[in-house]
Amino acid sequence: MNISDALRAAGGGGGETIRFQSWALAFDPETGSSPQFIAPEQHRIEHLPDGSVRVTVMAGTPYTPGGSPVSEPTPAPGTVLWSDVQAPADVVTLFGTPPTVASRVGEYLEMSGTVPHRTSGEYFSAIRLLLSERRLSSEEEAALIAFLATLPDVEVEGKVTDRLGRPGVAFSTESRSPGEYRDTLVLSASEGVLSYEVTYIGSSRTDIQAPAVIEYIAWE
């Protein structure tokens, strides 16, 4: 709630361009072998004045699971992997205009169809989709974070530094898939939701060894 109050007091925010970086384990579907490297991508989503949306995805710097950069990566970092402009009639969205009061956030996220069981982990995952589709104002993000404070089964992990080097506080839940996956959000009083992480914590998979971060997104 302190983070929510600080964001609401700051005001501002919003905008027409969304930027985030993502990291994911790179699997070879043909061999089924363990991931050999981590493939980062830089995303830019621009909402243009005519209602169209331009999406650009560029390659980041890949590195091994041990943390060292991959030598002579292909494609080279900064390479545009793909770019597309969606005409206004072709733009499909999951979410409408976000509420500015916490009591309406739960229903708002549920209307997207991404929270079938209303678990805390599903709400975390829905927020990941929302922030990759819309850039929220400070009031909208403050309401979102105040809603998170009402959820059960959420643990405060403590102060952390995200993958872009920013300080924040991590909150996690295993409610979406108990014993299998842990969802984590990193929040900041000055910037709101910084990042989202999915960690495999189970024992049924043979391709990776738990605990293993399998997805990470950091909004800029």
Side-chain angles (χ1 to χ4, degrees):
M1 288 304 299
N2 289 340
I3 293 174
S4 174
D5 292 342
L7 280 176
R8 194 176 294 276
E16 302 301 324
T17 301
I18 302 166
R19 292 182 175 85
F20 60 90
Q21 296 188 37
S22 66
W23 293 259
L25 295 179
F27 293 87
D28 185 340
E30 295 183 358
T31 65
S33 61
S34 299
Q36 300 300 309
F37 61 93
I38 299 165
E41 294 179 344
Q42 298 176 335
H43 299 249
R44 183 172 68 243
I45 303 172
E46 301 169 87
H47 292 266
L48 304 178
D50 64 355
S52 60
V53 175
R54 179 189 292 122
V55 180
T56 306
V57 179
M58 296 174 289
T61 302
Y63 51 95
T64 68
S68 58
V70 173
S71 60
E72 300 182 1
T74 303
T79 300
V80 175
L81 301 177
W82 63 274
S83 182
D84 182 45
V85 176
Q86 301 172 349
D90 297 329
V91 175
V92 177
T93 59
L94 292 173
F95 303 92
T97 303
T100 56
V101 291
S103 60
R104 294 181 52 207
V105 171
E107 180 183 8
Y108 168 76
L109 294 175
E110 292 156 17
M111 289 177 63
S112 69
T114 61
V115 193
H117 303 102
R118 299 182 181 180
T119 65
S120 298
E122 286 178 333
Y123 287 118
F124 275 37
S125 181
I127 288 170
R128 168 252 191 270
L129 295 174
L130 168 63
L131 296 181
S132 299
E133 181 178 290
R134 303 182 67 96
R135 186 171 178 181
L136 306 189
S137 69
S138 294
E139 277 199 31
E140 292 165 348
E141 199 156 3
L144 189 74
I145 291 173
F147 166 73
L148 293 177
T150 70
L151 296 177
D153 308 317
V154 175
E155 296 184 5
V156 182
E157 299 287 353
K159 294 182 178 180
V160 297
T161 300
D162 80 349
R163 290 177 187 260
L164 297 185
R166 301 170 298 184
V169 181
F171 300 83
S172 67
T173 176
E174 297 178 16
S175 57
R176 181 168 62 93
S177 186
E180 289 292 315
Y181 296 94
R182 180 170 64 243
D183 297 286
T184 301
L185 286 172
V186 178
L187 311 180
S188 161
S190 60
E191 299 181 66
V193 181
L194 297 179
S195 52
Y196 168 76
E197 174 183 282
V198 180
T199 306
Y200 173 66
I201 57 173
S203 58
S204 59
R205 295 182 62 164
T206 58
D207 53 349
I208 53 176
Q209 182 177 356
V213 176
I214 62 172
E215 181 184 7
Y216 196 99
I217 295 178
W219 291 273
E220 298 178 354

